[in-house]
Amino acid sequence: MRRIVFVLLVCALSVSFAVAQDAPQSAEVPAPDANLITLTQIDSGYDRPLFVTHAGDGSGRLFMVEQSGRVWVLHNNVPLETPFLDVSQLISPELFNGGYSERGLLGLAFHPNYADNGLLFVNYTDQRGASVVARYQVSDDPDQVDATSGAILMTVEQPYANHNGGHLEFGPDGYLYISLGDGGSAGDPLGNAQNRSTLLGTILRVDVDNGTPYSIPADNPFVDAADAAAEIWLYGIRNSWRFSFDSVTNDLYVADVGQNRVEEVNFIPAGQGGLNLGWNIMEGSQAYSGAPITPDLLLPIAEYPHSEGISVTGGYVYRGANIPSLYGAYIYGDFATGTIWTAFRDEAGEWVSPKLINRSGRTISSFGVDEAGELYLVDYGGTLFQFTPTN
């Protein structure tokens, strides 16, 4: 077990950290037992899969997102022969030239009322490399999106080819949350993450049910600020690779990929916007740029050094029924080493982050949950796994 110990660097930082941590928190959970958990292969053969999710419509289906632009629907863990959605002709052509890229189809979210309105949202990089958030409508065939229904909600120019963010998720408030990286390169050379007048380096919060193409929730933290974009919910983000809401407490967990030294996980109490996650003033709990520390800066609840991994993949607070020892723990991992950690509060109320599986051998591009709250792991090599109890 590895306890995450933070040094409060200055008084102002200490105050802001205490404010965030004193808000209502997740309940304490017992330490998960790795011996009770198995990664069971569900399916394989996908092309650079990046995400798996469900529609929340009671169908029990899973939806697998491929970086190259296709979404596959799985019935009883078996994919259909025709893609649910194919936007491969809209995205960056570099993906088809081989090699590694951070561009492509990066996010998928189903509307909370999808069972009634059939609306879904995607985040992809277009052929110029800009980030695009678009809305689609399912066709009369529930396993097929109407390809002609695409409507762009937002286009954000990207100065570099990396750090696009790309995750989408509807919050418990019914608003759509959108992650955007700092614009790329290294060290945030344009200063985007601390510049609230740009959408880069943020998580946004918008109302897709009102306005054209969307409206700004009245309680967004910077809705009346002259020097900030009204869409911003959180800022100071380098490249959030997956965030999620706890389905019981509504708290928000944000995994942010590090630069040179550490990877981090941030905890934002339910409903608390306007916080600064620190980049590039800080990298995790460590000073980075030498810039003054701002009073709204939040320290991570967990971090690990690059000797343990080089690219964090955020996951979920487990709320399923099959693995009781995981209940209430946040699960996350590392893309490169395949190590999986949990994060939770111990009996003393302190955040701890023990390893669950050391160097699993999986290239963890994402985690996902189904309608029952059961947890999945997506291997970038093409395989889908489910967390199951060990017999």
Side-chain angles (χ1 to χ4, degrees), residues 107-380:
L108 166 68
F110 291 86
H111 193 282
N113 296 323
Y114 178 78
D116 297 321
N117 62 28
L119 296 177
L120 58 141
F121 298 78
V122 293
N123 189 329
Y124 63 88
T125 51
D126 66 16
Q127 295 191 4
R128 297 180 301 107
S131 290
V132 175
V133 176
R135 182 188 66 237
Y136 282 85
Q137 174 82 49
V138 73
S139 70
D140 292 337
D141 179 351
D143 293 322
Q144 189 75 54
V145 171
D146 179 356
T148 67
S149 66
I152 293 177
L153 274 66
M154 177 186 300
T155 300
V156 180
E157 299 298 325
Q158 294 284 355
Y160 300 97
N162 58 341
H163 301 182
N164 300 291
H167 189 54
L168 299 169
E169 187 142 342
F170 279 91
D173 50 18
Y175 297 132
L176 181 63
Y177 291 72
I178 305 162
S179 70
L180 291 167
D182 66 6
S185 189
D188 193 10
L190 302 179
N192 289 321
Q194 292 298 317
N195 178 8
R196 297 185 306 201
S197 66
T198 176
L199 300 183
L200 296 173
T202 68
I203 289 179
L204 310 178
R205 178 184 187 240
V206 298
D207 181 354
V208 298
D209 293 325
N210 298 284
T212 304
Y214 60 82
S215 63
I216 307 297
D219 59 346
N220 267 16
F222 305 114
V223 70
D224 295 321
D227 61 345
E231 291 93 338
I232 294 175
W233 182 249
L234 302 169
Y235 71 104
I237 294 171
R238 183 177 181 270
N239 190 38
S240 171
W241 190 244
R242 304 309 179 203
F243 62 85
S244 65
F245 293 91
D246 184 338
S247 62
V248 171
T249 68
N250 296 336
D251 298 322
L252 175 61
Y253 292 76
V254 179
D256 200 11
V257 178
Q259 179 67 54
N260 299 321
R261 291 173 289 183
V262 295
E263 305 295 306
E264 67 180 87
V265 174
N266 300 275
F267 172 86
I268 297 89
Q272 188 168 336
L275 294 176
N276 180 359
L277 272 59
W279 177 251
N280 68 354
I281 299 172
M282 309 285 290
E283 181 184 4
S285 63
Q286 304 177 29
Y288 181 82
S289 70
I293 295 171
T294 59
D296 61 349
L297 191 146
L298 181 72
L299 284 174
I301 59 164
E303 61 181 6
Y304 59 89
H306 278 187
S307 59
E308 295 283 350
I310 61 171
S311 185
V312 67
T313 298
Y316 295 84
V317 174
Y318 179 73
R319 295 299 183 182
N322 290 342
I323 311 176
S325 67
L326 275 186
Y327 190 84
Y330 175 74
I331 314 300
Y332 67 101
D334 187 78
F335 175 81
T337 65
T339 297
I340 301 171
W341 289 266
T342 63
F344 55 91
R345 289 184 177 275
D346 64 12
E347 293 180 354
E350 300 294 329
W351 284 104
V352 295
S353 188
K355 286 181 183 178
L356 185 66
I357 301 175
N358 187 40
R359 298 184 181 269
S360 67
R362 309 303 172 190
T363 306
I364 306 172
S365 58
S366 189
F367 295 90
V369 292
D370 60 20
E371 289 187 74
E374 298 303 329
L375 185 66
Y376 295 78
L377 181 151
V378 179
D379 187 323
Y380 192 60

Side-chain angles (χ1 to χ4, degrees), residues 46 63-64 66 68-74 79-88 105 139 141-147:
Y46 295 99
F63 297 81
M64 178 71 91
E66 291 181 331
S68 53
R70 295 177 180 86
V71 178
W72 300 91
V73 58
L74 287 75
L80 300 185
E81 295 183 359
T82 303
F84 176 69
L85 173 66
D86 187 350
V87 295
S88 57
L105 178 57
S139 70
D141 179 351
D143 293 322
Q144 189 75 54
V145 171
D146 179 356

